Amino acid sequence: TCSVEDSRFLCAGSCKSCKDEGTWPVHWKHLAWSFTALARGIHPCEDADGNSWPIGSYRASVAGTPLCPNSGFRAVIWVLAGDMDYLQVDLGLPHQASLDPCAWCKCNKSDTPFNDFRENAKWKTVRRSPADHIADPVTNHLIMTIPGVNFFCFHLDSLHVLDLGVTSHAIGNLLWEICVDHLPGNRAVALATLNKQIAEIYIELNVPKSKWIPALTYKHFNATASTYPNLKHMKGRRIRQFVPVALKLAQEFCADDEHTQHRLEVFKSLDTLYNCLDSPGLEFSSETQQLFSTAVDNMLAHYGSLAKLSYKKNLYRWSIVPKFHYLAHFPEQSKFLA
């Protein structure tokens, strides 16, 4: 293993509070120029503005020669990763708030709904192909001018799409329903009982206390007459580590009714897909990839059923946001990179 200093290198930065629309294009002009030289493996003959080097300068003396004359090494950008704000606002992918919120397919918020997770969902027939991305690029950002960079370098991020997205929604709804629908007593009594049960499950699973979530308050997952439950104010890794506990709770509070059966399947699938994510290696085995793909599809299908059941009862529960759709594209990406 290597240190953080050896594995992280800051190329450029800018305070959000002081940047404007002209800030990052200047940064990216120089970054694209530099990464282009790395990809070609030679010292550039011109600067980032296209000007020749001054006669007699060091840059002029090495222009056109190999960057690594002994080894011939070069460097390429392999993966462009980040949260949705970075990919959409900074790198120009379609924004989740737009009518066409996805860069990986041609779903929308009307006749090809992004929140349809049935097996025959229309958006599954209009995934963007490599030819589509060449003919109609989803972004014209300068990063796309670097040799070797193409759309398939963009990779979704499990921390923001899953841990702080889909998983936090699922857990928030589970906790809310346990307190409101299942446990006796008023809200305060129900919450105290829930916290006690969570502690008992942690002990049963032999989870070190340092990895426990803090004692829950309703501020962590409450819903109102017009807002949906969502687990908030938690670190992503704590949410991820809570999934086995949530599965135990879903099992304990599962009955013969359709709703709690779907809910249990959501957490069975979440537990499975996280176990796949924790498998070692840069690539999944074919068996793990298939298990992961099935778990994602099952999780989204059962969650979608919960959303429909709640809607029919006029309950603000099991909301579906674009991150759920982005999760649906995880299996395809996982064929090539875990």
Side-chain angles (χ1 to χ4, degrees), residues 104-123:
W104 288 267
C105 71
K106 298 176 183 179
C107 71
N108 55 38
K109 296 182 179 178
S110 55
D111 63 342
T112 311
F114 74 92
N115 57 354
D116 182 358
F117 301 119
R118 295 173 299 174
E119 190 173 348
N120 63 345
K122 187 176 177 181
W123 65 263

Side-chain angles (χ1 to χ4, degrees), residues 76-87:
V76 295
I77 292 178
W78 186 21
V79 170
L80 298 169
D83 62 15
M84 301 316 299
D85 184 68
Y86 176 67
L87 295 181

Side-chain angles (χ1 to χ4, degrees), residues 23-334:
T23 301
W24 274 103
V26 176
H27 284 308
W28 274 112
K29 178 177 68 174
H30 288 270
L31 289 171
W33 168 81
S34 182
F35 278 110
T36 296
L38 285 171
R40 291 174 176 165
I42 60 172
H43 288 277
C45 296
E46 299 173 334
D47 66 17
D49 294 312
N51 301 314
S52 298
W53 302 114
I55 297 173
S57 67
Y58 169 76
R59 287 286 198 179
S61 69
V62 297
T65 63
L67 287 172
C68 300
N70 296 326
S71 63
F73 285 157
R74 61 181 68 189
V76 295
I77 292 178
W78 186 21
V79 170
L80 298 169
D83 62 15
M84 301 316 299
D85 184 68
Y86 176 67
L87 295 181
Q88 295 172 351
V89 176
D90 289 277
L91 298 188
L93 298 193
H95 198 276
Q96 57 191 346
S98 69
L99 296 177
D100 306 293
C102 186
W104 288 267
C105 71
K106 298 176 183 179
C107 71
N108 55 38
K109 296 182 179 178
S110 55
D111 63 342
T112 311
F114 74 92
N115 57 354
D116 182 358
F117 301 119
R118 295 173 299 174
E119 190 173 348
N120 63 345
K122 187 176 177 181
W123 65 263
K124 295 181 180 181
T125 67
V126 288
R127 288 185 171 95
R128 292 183 185 272
S129 67
D132 291 330
H133 286 293
I134 293 172
D136 183 23
V138 294
T139 179
N140 59 359
H141 193 277
L142 275 169
I143 202 168
M144 305 303 288
T145 65
I146 301 169
V149 172
N150 58 61
F151 173 77
F152 294 96
C153 292
F154 291 101
H155 271 257
L156 293 159
D157 174 5
S158 62
L159 169 64
H160 295 93
V161 173
L162 258 176
D163 307 345
L164 298 176
V166 171
T167 307
S168 63
H169 279 273
I171 293 175
N173 278 280
L174 172 68
L175 298 177
W176 179 253
E177 289 188 344
I178 289 173
C179 286
V180 173
D181 299 339
H182 298 290
L183 292 176
N186 60 30
R187 293 283 175 83
V189 171
L191 183 63
T193 303
L194 175 61
N195 275 315
K196 181 181 178 182
Q197 289 180 306
I198 288 172
E200 291 171 350
I201 294 172
Y202 272 132
I203 293 170
E204 177 188 346
L205 296 175
N206 294 314
V207 177
K209 208 160 187 179
S210 60
K211 295 185 178 181
W212 292 17
I213 62 171
L216 292 168
T217 70
Y218 280 109
K219 290 182 179 179
H220 286 117
F221 61 90
N222 70 303
T224 67
S226 58
T227 61
Y228 294 87
N230 185 14
L231 187 61
K232 303 178 286 287
H233 315 302
M234 295 280 180
K235 294 287 186 181
R237 69 178 181 276
R238 289 286 180 264
I239 295 173
R240 182 175 186 150
Q241 293 164 348
F242 188 74
V243 168
V245 179
L247 174 57
K248 288 278 189 181
L249 289 170
Q251 290 168 335
E252 185 172 339
F253 291 99
C254 184
D256 292 331
D257 63 286
E258 185 180 8
H259 185 96
T260 60
Q261 291 285 339
H262 282 303
R263 193 174 66 192
L264 176 57
E265 292 302 320
V266 163
F267 286 96
K268 283 182 179 179
S269 298
L270 271 177
D271 189 57
T272 298
L273 71 87
Y274 271 121
N275 287 334
C276 292
L277 286 178
D278 288 336
S279 61
L282 289 174
E283 297 179 39
F284 285 158
S285 67
S286 58
E287 294 80 8
T288 301
Q289 199 281 325
Q290 184 56 54
L291 185 63
F292 178 75
S293 179
T294 300
V296 169
D297 290 344
N298 286 345
M299 185 270 167
L300 292 171
H302 288 289
Y303 192 105
S305 296
L306 288 166
K308 291 176 184 176
L309 289 171
S310 299
Y311 178 78
K312 289 178 181 178
K313 297 177 182 177
N314 293 317
L315 295 173
Y316 280 82
R317 300 180 188 177
W318 305 96
S319 62
I320 296 176
V321 298
K323 285 184 178 181
F324 285 80
H325 178 82
Y326 301 143
L327 175 62
H329 287 287
F330 267 48
E332 190 173 8
Q333 292 192 3
S334 70

Side-chain angles (χ1 to χ4, degrees), residues 10-25 27 90:
L10 178 64
C11 294
S14 180
C15 296
K16 283 188 175 182
S17 59
C18 63
K19 74 175 184 179
D20 60 25
E21 62 182 13
T23 301
W24 274 103
H27 284 308
D90 289 277

